[in-house]
Amino acid sequence: GAVVSQHPSRVICKSGTSVKIECRSLDFQATTMFWYRQFPKQSLMLMATSNEGSKATYEQGVEKDKFLINHASLTLSTLTVTSAHPEDSSFYICSAKLPGTSGGYGYEQYFGPGTRLTVT
Amino acid sequence: KQEVTQIPAALSVPEGENLVLNCSFTDSAIYNLQWFRQDPGKGLTSLLLIQSSQREQTSGRLNASLDKSSGRSTLYIAASQPGDSATYLCAVNPGYTGNQFYFGTGTSLTVIP
């Protein structure tokens, strides 16, 4: 089956530094990937939609200059948290949409295992 | 914007009991709905995917139903086991541009041995 990996699984960084999180589709090409954020005991909230070869689409309230997304290839999207602050500490999960054959609508997404970011 | 709600927020049952988790969504124009399991500190494991044209899907002890017109889905777990303890999330795919999922608030399930 389709597998999505994330690296690193856990990262601790100091306030003010930048952290890059990678999301890879291991056995399929994903033109679209999504980045979600999950605070403790809360559900997943979509941050942005990452499209290969074009700029990411950010959800309302998400700072695009703080959360830089790059989808440079069909199997890799990266999320860089710039000038991290303790309030950026969260669980970040990516998903990749499996390409379909009928207009690209609503195909099953596969989720990565998540990255736990802690900013001290 | 689609809003997804799950009831109850937490559930504790003795081992062997059958149980039902509920998911409701405000916009019935969906393409599919997916149930996930999340263990503490872990990512998501897909359990069942129901297309909008389907009414139910089954996998082992799990059965998910979908009533799109009323904006409801249920996840039925038969003969619950301690290993079923986790948070269960439902997610709705609206099917329009972007295809991002809208996640429910989750149900935290504890199965007591």
Side-chain angles (χ1 to χ4, degrees):
Chain A
V3 178
V4 176
S5 70
Q6 278 185 243
H7 178 80
S9 58
R10 287 180 175 273
V11 58
I12 300 173
C13 70
K14 292 188 176 182
S15 185
T17 61
S18 295
V19 175
K20 180 184 287 187
I21 303 170
E22 294 184 346
C23 176
R24 292 183 185 273
S25 56
L26 297 186
D27 49 3
F28 66 99
Q29 294 184 331
T31 55
T32 302
M33 292 183 176
F34 303 94
W35 286 96
Y36 296 84
R37 181 175 181 175
Q38 185 179 35
F39 290 106
K41 299 188 184 300
Q42 295 186 26
S43 193
L44 281 75
M45 297 297 293
L46 179 70
M47 298 175 65
T49 301
S50 171
N51 296 297
E52 188 269 337
S54 64
K55 291 184 179 181
T57 303
Y58 290 82
E59 293 297 297
Q60 190 173 10
V62 178
E63 299 176 60
K64 59 182 67 176
D65 294 331
K66 180 170 186 59
F67 298 99
L68 301 179
I69 292 174
N70 187 328
H71 195 154
S73 76
L74 288 171
T75 59
L76 173 65
S77 176
T78 60
L79 169 68
T80 301
V81 182
T82 63
S83 188
H85 289 281
E87 56 264 32
D88 298 326
S89 299
S90 188
F91 193 55
Y92 293 87
I93 301 180
C94 71
S95 71
K97 188 171 72 171
L98 197 64
T101 58
S102 177
Y105 268 77
Y107 290 94
E108 189 169 1
Q109 293 182 26
Y110 292 87
F111 285 78
T115 296
R116 173 76 57 192
L117 170 63
T118 303
V119 184
T120 60
Chain B
K1 181 181 174 181
Q2 180 75 265
E3 291 187 8
V4 184
T5 305
Q6 290 184 245
I7 295 174
L11 181 64
S12 183
V13 301
E15 181 177 3
E17 193 163 296
N18 302 325
L19 58 101
V20 175
L21 308 181
N22 297 292
C23 172
S24 61
F25 44 95
T26 55
D27 187 345
S28 62
I30 67 169
Y31 193 82
N32 60 38
L33 182 147
Q34 199 162 350
W35 282 92
F36 295 90
R37 168 186 172 139
Q38 184 176 32
D39 292 288
K42 303 292 186 181
L44 304 180
T45 300
S46 178
L47 298 175
L48 290 164
L49 170 71
I50 309 179
Q51 301 292 352
S52 63
S53 58
Q54 299 175 320
R55 295 195 65 84
E56 65 179 303
Q57 282 283 356
T58 298
S59 176
R61 294 183 294 109
L62 306 179
N63 176 279
S65 68
L66 174 64
D67 184 343
K68 198 173 71 166
S69 61
S70 67
R72 293 180 182 177
S73 177
T74 62
L75 178 66
Y76 175 82
I77 302 177
S80 59
Q81 303 171 357
D84 295 330
S85 298
T87 295
Y88 291 81
L89 296 166
C90 72
V92 169
N93 184 332
Y96 48 73
T97 302
N99 301 144
Q100 70 270 27
F101 278 85
Y102 290 96
F103 280 84
T105 46
T107 294
S108 177
L109 172 66
T110 301
V111 180
I112 304 167

